[in-house]
Amino acid sequence: MMRGDLSLLSYIKRLSSNKFTSAALSLLSNTSDEQLIWLTYLAEKIPRKDSYKKKIRWIRELFRQKHPSLDVARRILRESNPVQRKKIVNFLVNQFLEGTNRRKAFESRTGYYPPRAMLISPTMRCNLDCYGCYAGDYSHDELEPELIHRILSEAKEMGISLVVVLGGEPFLKKDLLEVYEAHPDMAFHVFTHGGFLDEKMVENVARLGNVMPAISLEGFRDETDKRRGKGHFEKVVQSMDLLNEAEVLFACSLTQTKENTDVLTSERFIDFLIAKGCILVWYFMCVPIGKNPDMELLPSPEQRNLMREKLRTFRAAKPILFVDFWNDGHLTDGCMAGGRMYFHINAKGDVEPCVFCHFASDNIRETTLLKALNSPLFKRIRSLQPYSENLLRPCMLIDEPWVGREMALQYARYFTHPGAETLFGELSYQIDHYAKQYGQIADVAWDELNSSEKQSFARNA
């Protein structure tokens, strides 16, 4: 290492998290590979937790190997407007650097290490009528802004900076823009069908900078319009174009079914998303919960495994980020629910272990966030995680259904909408059969993973 490098490292060690933001923005004015690598040195000096330092070194090594994640970093910096770019750096500091210190301090005071993210559904209203909607049987309640502010304040005290906003359709609730603006130190990842992202709404999103939409798609025009209504695909494409013009980064949310697996796993579709400007892709499966639970929509065990294998290939080749909710258990040390990594508050205020677990013990209107996250239900879930040594089988609902039944029928106090009990009653036999079938495939896949892939990136987080 050269003398100049030693001087820079000495300087980096003296940086506070506040100075990191301005230093990072200065470095990012030139998005060369070298500058991005130096940014990881800056980041490594802030968190006190060794596991986070190790993750930052891991990212630095990926950058040095010219992994596609380096191209993703460059895309984020080049394709975001200055307001969003600054908010992204602030978020990285609040969530992954300084936030880890706050969460650790919170644990010292309370004995509980908080999750990294909170999911909240401020409204269940939606103008679409999609079949198989996981939220389709909730009543059309809404959370009032005063309650949302209180929840966000309690979350920030815990060190939570990432808020995933669901619904219903969040952009139907106009007062949420004021909520986002009132909490500039938080990042809001808003899952939307995309139909309300017109010029005015995109202008507001660009102005705020701390809002990143995740637009739902089922594939191309035929697949999307079949589930969401004729002409919806074109609306979504127009929304993407508007976001690109405003230099607002966005994600896409894809729901895999038996019907659209071939499209969602095709290179043509991934290249389409990249060309439209998408920076992050969420993959979910259509599980039999919510509106008219239907096992026929659940991808077959073979299709689920195909998705896992395809995304493994795409991650090594495509300049876009992928999150596979059901198949990335080896990256999260199994199930994330129950307040270990996240939880969900629905539009009635019920505190659910997971957005797909429609049962609860507490309502946030009647308790604090800390008390709800330390309920017997949530503690029992965390005590069992991971539910299997095979982290490719992470889910309490469809992989280890005995866990879900125990939580829903013995530890929860109530189901959060009519019909939510169906998964744990009349569908139990079919779910058990599915879990057994997929388990046989997943066990072979787990044995074939090399040791480095089996080491969870988040095991000590």
Side-chain angles (χ1 to χ4, degrees), residues 133-168:
C133 176
Y134 80 94
D137 274 355
Y138 282 105
S139 58
H140 289 180
D141 294 270
E142 290 194 350
L143 300 175
E144 59 272 21
E146 296 77 15
L147 179 59
I148 298 174
H149 286 302
R150 195 207 96 195
I151 295 168
L152 295 178
S153 296
E154 291 184 25
K156 280 192 280 190
E157 184 182 351
M158 292 181 172
I160 300 173
S161 298
L162 174 60
V163 182
V164 179
V165 183
L166 306 162

Side-chain angles (χ1 to χ4, degrees), residues 2-153:
M2 302 294 290
R3 182 181 300 275
D5 295 334
L6 289 171
S7 298
L8 181 56
L9 284 176
S10 298
Y11 165 71
I12 289 170
K13 290 179 181 179
R14 296 194 300 270
L15 278 177
S16 67
S17 58
N18 290 332
K19 291 180 180 178
F20 171 82
T21 301
S22 58
L25 288 170
S26 176
L27 276 176
L28 295 179
S29 62
N30 175 357
T31 57
S32 68
D33 294 359
E34 293 76 14
Q35 298 290 60
L36 290 171
I37 290 171
W38 273 119
L39 184 58
T40 66
Y41 281 108
L42 289 174
E44 188 182 340
K45 304 304 172 183
I46 297 176
R48 299 189 188 102
K49 210 170 185 183
D50 287 341
S51 61
Y52 272 79
K53 294 180 183 292
K54 291 177 182 177
K55 291 171 188 176
I56 293 168
R57 293 176 197 135
W58 176 75
I59 292 171
R60 181 162 60 242
E61 187 58 30
L62 288 180
F63 284 1
R64 283 176 170 160
Q65 295 172 5
K66 306 296 184 182
H67 188 271
S69 58
L70 183 61
D71 294 327
V72 174
R74 278 195 292 262
R75 283 191 63 202
I76 291 172
L77 299 172
R78 291 172 180 170
E79 296 175 18
S80 59
N81 65 54
V83 176
Q84 189 179 41
R85 191 177 309 130
K86 183 176 181 179
K87 291 295 178 71
I88 289 171
V89 174
N90 286 334
F91 165 69
L92 292 174
V93 173
N94 289 334
Q95 179 73 0
F96 299 108
L97 303 177
E98 185 62 30
T100 63
N101 299 337
R102 291 202 305 272
R103 291 191 288 274
K104 190 67 177 175
F106 189 88
E107 181 185 33
S108 298
R109 297 195 305 272
T110 66
Y112 170 62
Y113 189 83
R116 303 172 187 170
M118 174 175 68
L119 277 60
I120 188 168
S121 296
T123 180
M124 285 302 175
R125 289 188 297 129
C126 185
N127 61 313
L128 300 187
D129 188 27
C130 307
Y131 60 82
C133 176
Y134 80 94
D137 274 355
Y138 282 105
S139 58
H140 289 180
D141 294 270
E142 290 194 350
L143 300 175
E144 59 272 21
E146 296 77 15
L147 179 59
I148 298 174
H149 286 302
R150 195 207 96 195
I151 295 168
L152 295 178
S153 296

Side-chain angles (χ1 to χ4, degrees), residues 172-235:
L172 268 174
K173 188 170 169 59
K174 302 302 183 184
D175 54 19
L176 284 179
L177 292 175
E178 297 174 3
V179 171
Y180 305 148
E181 188 167 18
H183 297 272
D185 52 346
M186 304 187 90
F188 297 91
H189 194 26
V190 183
F191 279 67
T192 171
H193 61 54
F196 293 108
L197 286 169
D198 55 18
E199 290 185 11
K200 181 62 176 177
M201 186 62 73
V202 169
E203 179 182 322
N204 283 320
V205 170
R207 173 181 58 82
L208 292 170
N210 62 339
V211 176
M212 179 176 170
I215 300 173
S216 296
L217 284 172
E218 315 304 321
F220 291 111
R221 177 181 288 102
D222 289 348
E223 296 81 18
T224 299
D225 285 1
K226 180 179 180 181
R227 190 179 187 210
R228 299 184 177 271
K230 187 176 181 180
H232 190 75
F233 180 77
E234 287 303 321
K235 288 183 181 179

Side-chain angles (χ1 to χ4, degrees), residues 302-317:
E302 293 78 13
Q303 288 176 320
R304 178 177 172 183
N305 191 56
L306 173 66
M307 179 66 72
R308 183 190 64 82
E309 291 178 338
K310 284 287 189 177
L311 292 192
R312 190 179 173 194
T313 300
F314 291 150
R315 279 172 169 152

Side-chain angles (χ1 to χ4, degrees), residues 325 328-337 340-342 385-388 390-395 456 458-459:
F325 187 85
D328 279 348
H330 60 300
L331 301 179
T332 59
D333 201 19
C335 174
M336 302 181 292
R340 184 175 81 86
M341 287 189 176
Y342 89 108
Q385 294 166 333
Y387 315 125
S388 168
N390 183 346
L391 298 179
L392 297 179
R393 302 169 61 181
C395 181
S456 168
R459 183 174 297 276

